[in-house]
Amino acid sequence: MLEPTKLNFDKFVLVHFIIPLLLFVLVLAVLEYFHVDLWVAGHFYNAGLHQWPHKESWLTENVLHVGGRYFTYLLAVAVALCWLISLRADSAFFRYRRHLLFLLISGISGPLIIVLLKNHTHIYCPWSLELFGGDKPYVRLFDYAGGNLEVGHCFPAAHAGAGFTFLNLYFFLLLVKPDYKFYGLCFGLVLGMVYGIAQQMRGAHFLTHDLFALAVCWFSSFVLFMLFFRKQLQWL
């Protein structure tokens, strides 16, 4: 039987919810106020040729977009198989079955929330905007979209979210192998940023799209962790 790890409730909420939320709001406000999205995207758009040079390049499209998608699927299948194996009483993973179920569900929840948001938000991809050769207006997060705009199907960033969803490894390792928890954090951050930067280079997303995807994945994992392991959270 896995010895339950006890966590200080107040400290856990402060470190994993309050501080990240304040940082997220601050960074998002700075990016929006100073139009950082447009500044960054401008470096990847060739105004003279009216095109995104990296939109269909071998690295950004074939390797990091398509290949990255299959890599994410492979990791998800691996987690699902580990959980299924853990259901056997004679399995080495048996004592981690609850932790693996958390890893599986939290890995699905972030991308699922992002997909639901994409189907209801009126924020467009950079390559669709009039500013970058498209035909759509530039609508920021807090702008009034009006009633005539179509759904943008672009915000938050789904591909970056597929990487950031592995931030749940941090919470998983927090209980299973606490000394390695920051390796899980780094893996999710790096994978999400690589996917996100590749999509920014292609003109598929803005920086704030990736930031919001990160927040969705982090906070959804946080909430699920609170539900799955509430007994480990105590006022010590």
Side-chain angles (χ1 to χ4, degrees):
M1 188 72 178
L2 185 65
E3 186 68 24
T5 301
K6 301 300 181 182
L7 300 170
N8 184 293
F9 180 87
D10 292 339
K11 182 179 180 181
F12 181 81
V13 173
L14 174 66
V15 172
H16 299 91
F17 179 75
I18 296 176
I19 292 178
L21 180 61
L22 293 175
L23 285 174
F24 167 66
V25 172
L26 176 62
V27 173
L28 184 64
V30 170
L31 295 180
E32 287 282 283
Y33 182 79
F34 290 102
H35 303 283
V36 177
D37 274 346
L38 296 179
W39 181 80
V40 172
H43 288 77
F44 301 128
Y45 179 70
N46 189 319
L49 298 177
H50 303 288
Q51 63 178 278
W52 297 89
H54 303 287
K55 183 176 182 179
E56 298 178 353
S57 74
W58 176 79
L59 178 61
T60 57
E61 168 62 9
N62 296 83
V63 177
L64 297 177
H65 186 215
V66 178
R69 183 188 305 149
Y70 287 117
F71 177 65
T72 301
Y73 293 160
L74 181 64
L75 292 177
V77 169
V79 172
L81 287 176
C82 287
W83 174 68
L84 288 173
I85 293 171
S86 75
L87 297 179
R88 294 179 53 183
D90 59 346
S91 167
F93 295 152
F94 181 71
R95 60 179 181 165
Y96 301 115
R97 61 194 183 282
R98 187 176 183 84
H99 304 76
L100 288 167
L101 182 60
F102 159 77
L103 198 62
L104 180 61
I105 294 178
S106 60
I108 296 171
S109 66
L112 180 60
I113 294 171
I114 288 172
V115 169
L116 291 174
L117 290 173
K118 282 169 64 77
N119 290 329
H120 292 87
T121 52
H122 295 75
I123 298 177
Y124 301 102
C125 303
W127 60 33
S128 299
L129 301 180
E130 296 171 343
L131 294 171
F132 300 110
D135 59 358
K136 302 297 183 184
Y138 175 49
V139 180
R140 295 185 301 172
L141 181 58
F142 301 110
D143 288 342
Y144 174 66
N148 298 322
L149 291 181
E150 299 176 354
V151 173
H153 298 290
C154 196
F155 177 87
H159 195 53
F164 288 132
T165 194
F166 291 101
L167 289 170
N168 63 358
L169 286 170
Y170 168 86
F171 294 96
F172 172 78
L173 292 170
L174 183 63
L175 295 181
V176 173
K177 201 76 171 178
D179 291 341
Y180 290 83
K181 62 182 182 293
F182 288 111
Y183 291 106
L185 179 68
C186 290
F187 180 80
L189 284 175
V190 170
L191 190 62
M193 287 190 293
V194 169
Y195 287 175
I197 292 172
Q199 289 295 81
Q200 289 178 51
M201 292 175 66
R202 297 181 64 238
H205 288 291
F206 283 125
L207 177 59
T208 53
H209 299 190
D210 296 339
L211 176 64
F212 210 91
L214 186 159
V216 168
C217 292
W218 176 265
F219 291 118
S220 63
S221 291
F222 167 82
V223 170
L224 285 169
F225 184 91
M226 297 278 286
L227 294 174
F228 266 78
F229 305 108
R230 57 188 180 277
K231 292 183 179 179
Q232 276 81 8
L233 296 167
Q234 299 181 354
W235 286 271
L236 301 179

